[in-house]
């Protein structure tokens, strides 16, 4: 009895459309085999040999297709060094190797413990707003002494929650808790403890969370859109260690649509900037606590934004608390090109800028080239400059700005206090209900 093993394989392992191809190929083979063997021997040989190669190629493709389909993840998995079974991975590296394709939502529960490794996720085929990937850290620790501990390299729709992320290097360039780049979209880092536990250098390649095209510096590019950093605690090992930036997103005008949401984080022990957003348009930064920079810092910024405005997402800097910054010169907040529109205004509202100290100069919050911006209900108090205090607030080249119900009080300068407020080259500015009290020089 003649048994067509190729056809049996196709029926068992291949999709129905591929089976039809096999069937057609086998029919052709059987027809050719009926040709007179003596008269067309060589012709038959070449034809059957050609068909054999074609069938082998299709069969190999089917096997690869089946392997790919079987590798797609969907459902619940674990990371547990002591675990076993097909749904368990013994390390973050093993999980990353497997997590290249999904066919449904994926949830990964991490067992308690310390994982000394890096976790890098590349682009994940099939990931979407429905087919999300959620890593429940469970309070486990992942640590590394070089580069970024967690890296999203083109990965989309990934949530990493409740993971302790520790970069342990004291000097390595590119030391980061989390690095997001290469069009990584709609990811969330939430409820994590992110620390640079020993870093004492001053390289601007370091951060708790960095969006940059370079592993060892600031480099522009399309790092992604719609990413959320929320509810995290970011800190050094002590007040004398920590990265250059708390959070940094560095872009250019050609790849500037970011639409980041940065909310309810506690950020401390940074060397220069609590948050630095350069051409990161559509910024919404709310409810964050930014304080207590590194003790060896000289010039310190609470927040610096450059081109945060966007036609697609309203600029907001609301309900943040910037306090207890200390350096030679302290700048609480700079907002360049944060314009809104007559119908959707940009907002700097309900923030507190308090208890900041500079041995030389201290500056309040300032807006530049930001039309239709609302600066309202902010508190600016108990700030002290050893030499000068400049501006409780300033609006420069900002038309149609609203400055309302802000409270400036108990600020002190060792020598001079310049401009409790300043309105410079700005038309149609509305000022109402602001309080200026109990400050001295």
């Amino acid at each position: 009895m003649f048994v067509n093993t190729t056809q049996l394989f196709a029926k068992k392992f291949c999709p129905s459309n591929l089976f039809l191809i096999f069937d057609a190929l086998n029919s052709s083979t059987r027809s050719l085999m009926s040709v007179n063997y003596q008269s067309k021997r060589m012709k038959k040989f070449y034809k059957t040999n050609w068909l054999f190669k074609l069938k082998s190629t299709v069969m190999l493709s089917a096997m690869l297709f089946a392997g790919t389909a079987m590798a797609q993840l969907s459902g619940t998995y674990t990371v547990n060094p002591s675990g076993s079974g097909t749904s368990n991975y013994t390390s973050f590296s093993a999980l990353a190797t497997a997590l290249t394709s999904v066919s449904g939502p994926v949830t990964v529960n991490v067992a308690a413990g310390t994982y000394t490794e890096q976790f890098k996720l590349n682009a994940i085929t099939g990931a979407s707003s429905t087919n999300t990937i959620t890593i429940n850290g469970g309070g486990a620790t992942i640590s590394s002494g070089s580069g970024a501990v967690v890296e999203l390299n083109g990965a989309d729709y990934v949530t990493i929650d409740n993971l302790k992320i520790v970069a342990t290097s004291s000097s390595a360039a590119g030391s980061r808790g989390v690095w997001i780049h290469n069009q990584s979209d709609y990811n969330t880092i939430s409820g994590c403890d992110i620390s640079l536990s020993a870093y004492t250098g001053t390289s601007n390649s370091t951060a708790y969370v960095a969006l940059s095209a370079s592993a060892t510096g600031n480099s522009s590019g399309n790092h992604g859109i719609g990413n959320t950093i929320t509810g995290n605690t970011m800190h050094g090992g002590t007040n004398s260690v920590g990265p250059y930036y708390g959070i940094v997103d560095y872009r250019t005008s050609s790849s500037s649509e970011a639409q980041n949401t940065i909310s309810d984080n506690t950020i401390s022990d940074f060397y220069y900037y609590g948050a630095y957003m350069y051409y990161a348009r559509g910024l919404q930064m709310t409810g964050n606590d930014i304080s207590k920079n590194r003790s060896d810092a000289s010039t310190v910024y609470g927040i610096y934004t450059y081109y945060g405005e966007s036609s697609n997402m309203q600029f907001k800097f609301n309900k943040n608390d910037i306090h207890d910054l200390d350096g030679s010169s302290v700048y609480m907040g700079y907002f360049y090109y944060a314009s809104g529109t007559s119908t959707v205004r940009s907002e700097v509202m309900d923030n507190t800028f308090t208890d900041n100290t500079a041995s030389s100069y201290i500056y309040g919050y300032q807006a530049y080239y930001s039309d239709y911006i609302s600066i309202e209900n902010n508190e600016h108090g108990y700030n002290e400059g050893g030499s000068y205090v400049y501006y409780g607030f300033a609006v420069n080249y900002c038309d149609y700005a609203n400055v309302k119900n802000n409270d400036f009080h108990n600020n002190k300068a060792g020598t001079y206090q310049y401009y409790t407020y300043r309105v410079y080259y700005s038309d149609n500015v509305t000022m109402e209900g602001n309080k200026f009290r109990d400050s001295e020089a």
Side-chain angles (χ1 to χ4, degrees), residues 141-430:
T141 298
I142 180 170
S143 66
S144 175
S146 63
V149 183
V150 173
E151 179 182 348
L152 300 181
N153 175 27
D156 301 335
Y157 296 102
V158 174
T159 293
I160 299 176
D161 182 70
N162 192 22
L163 187 64
K164 188 173 182 180
I165 301 168
V166 185
T168 59
S169 173
S170 62
S171 59
S175 290
R176 295 162 178 171
V178 179
W179 178 26
I180 300 171
H181 65 113
N182 194 21
Q183 299 183 51
S184 295
D185 302 330
Y186 306 111
N187 300 293
T188 299
I189 308 298
S190 61
C192 294
D193 185 294
I194 305 171
S195 66
L196 268 68
S197 61
Y199 186 77
T200 57
T202 58
S203 170
N204 68 355
S205 66
T206 59
Y208 298 122
V209 178
L211 289 87
S212 172
S214 171
T216 56
N218 283 329
S219 181
S220 62
N222 183 356
H223 315 313
I225 191 171
N227 293 296
T228 298
I229 314 297
T230 185
N232 304 285
T233 299
M234 309 179 196
H235 60 94
T238 67
N239 188 236
S240 62
V241 301
Y244 192 87
Y245 301 103
I247 302 175
V248 57
D249 189 347
Y250 188 87
R251 307 178 184 233
T252 62
S253 58
S254 61
S255 57
S256 60
E257 196 65 31
Q259 298 180 27
N260 295 322
T261 298
I262 301 171
S263 63
D264 303 313
N265 302 285
T266 299
I267 305 170
S268 63
D269 306 326
F270 50 90
Y271 181 73
Y272 210 107
Y273 295 93
Y276 184 86
M277 302 289 139
Y278 191 82
Y279 273 110
R281 294 181 183 270
L283 174 66
Q284 294 197 348
M285 195 165 180
T286 60
N288 300 282
D289 185 293
I290 300 174
S291 70
K292 298 178 181 177
N293 53 278
R294 255 172 55 176
S295 58
D296 60 340
S298 177
T299 301
V300 181
Y301 287 80
I303 170 70
Y304 183 100
T305 70
Y306 186 78
Y307 276 100
E309 64 196 28
S310 169
S311 60
N312 298 308
M313 188 167 176
Q314 180 187 23
F315 176 89
K316 289 184 179 181
F317 187 80
N318 296 344
K319 298 182 179 180
N320 301 286
D321 188 5
I322 296 180
H323 64 99
D324 292 292
L325 302 180
D326 191 353
S328 174
S329 300
V330 172
Y331 301 83
M332 298 180 210
Y334 265 51
F335 309 98
Y336 285 88
Y337 298 98
S339 292
T341 68
S342 59
T343 54
V344 181
R345 303 180 67 88
S346 294
E347 295 179 357
V348 178
M349 299 173 67
D350 302 304
N351 303 287
T352 59
F353 303 85
T354 58
D355 300 295
N356 300 292
T357 304
S359 60
S360 185
Y361 308 107
I362 193 164
Y363 291 78
Y365 50 95
Q366 303 180 59
Y368 286 83
Y369 306 101
S370 300
D371 298 338
Y372 295 104
I373 188 170
S374 292
I375 302 174
E376 301 181 20
N377 303 311
N378 301 289
E379 180 186 3
H380 182 280
Y382 300 105
N383 301 294
E384 184 171 351
S387 297
Y388 307 108
V389 172
Y390 286 96
Y391 322 125
F393 74 89
V395 289
N396 305 288
Y397 309 100
C398 300
D399 295 340
Y400 301 99
N402 288 344
V403 183
K404 299 180 180 180
N405 302 315
N406 301 286
D407 189 2
F408 304 89
H409 64 91
N410 299 99
N411 300 295
K412 184 177 180 180
T415 306
Y416 297 108
Q417 186 157 176
Y418 289 103
Y419 311 116
T420 301
Y421 67 90
R422 184 190 192 199
V423 177
Y424 185 75
Y425 279 95
S426 302
D427 296 329
N428 299 297
V429 174
T430 300

Side-chain angles (χ1 to χ4, degrees), residues 3-231:
V3 179
N4 190 328
T5 54
T6 304
Q7 191 177 59
L8 288 177
F9 175 87
K11 284 184 176 180
K12 186 171 182 180
F13 295 103
C14 299
S16 58
N17 58 335
L18 287 179
F19 171 70
L20 293 174
I21 296 172
F22 277 107
D23 191 60
L25 290 171
N26 283 314
S27 296
S28 300
T29 304
R30 289 194 295 271
S31 298
L32 287 167
M33 290 178 68
S34 66
V35 177
N36 186 283
Y37 175 81
Q38 295 297 328
S39 64
K40 299 183 179 179
R41 182 176 181 182
M42 294 304 295
K43 185 176 180 180
K44 174 188 157 187
F45 172 79
Y46 286 118
K47 283 189 176 182
T48 54
N49 189 54
W50 174 83
L51 284 168
F52 175 79
K53 289 181 178 179
L54 177 59
K55 288 166 64 178
S56 299
T57 301
V58 173
M59 184 169 67
L60 179 59
S61 299
M63 292 172 67
L64 293 173
F65 179 87
T68 301
M70 288 186 287
Q72 288 183 323
L73 301 187
S74 179
T76 302
Y77 301 84
T78 55
V79 173
N80 187 341
S82 302
S84 61
T86 57
S87 63
N88 181 72
Y89 300 94
T90 56
S91 67
F92 280 95
S93 298
L95 172 64
T97 299
L99 194 49
T100 59
S101 179
V102 299
S103 58
V106 170
T107 299
V108 181
N109 297 314
V110 181
T114 298
Y115 301 78
T116 305
E117 57 179 323
Q118 293 169 294
F119 182 36
K120 178 181 178 180
L121 288 178
N122 297 317
I124 301 169
T125 302
S128 68
S129 58
T130 300
N131 294 345
T132 59
I133 299 95
T134 302
I135 314 293
N136 292 322
T141 298
I142 180 170
S143 66
S144 175
S146 63
V149 183
V150 173
E151 179 182 348
L152 300 181
N153 175 27
D156 301 335
Y157 296 102
V158 174
T159 293
I160 299 176
D161 182 70
N162 192 22
L163 187 64
K164 188 173 182 180
I165 301 168
V166 185
T168 59
S169 173
S170 62
S171 59
S175 290
R176 295 162 178 171
V178 179
W179 178 26
I180 300 171
H181 65 113
N182 194 21
Q183 299 183 51
S184 295
D185 302 330
Y186 306 111
N187 300 293
T188 299
I189 308 298
S190 61
C192 294
D193 185 294
I194 305 171
S195 66
L196 268 68
S197 61
Y199 186 77
T200 57
T202 58
S203 170
N204 68 355
S205 66
T206 59
Y208 298 122
V209 178
L211 289 87
S212 172
S214 171
T216 56
N218 283 329
S219 181
S220 62
N222 183 356
H223 315 313
I225 191 171
N227 293 296
T228 298
I229 314 297
T230 185

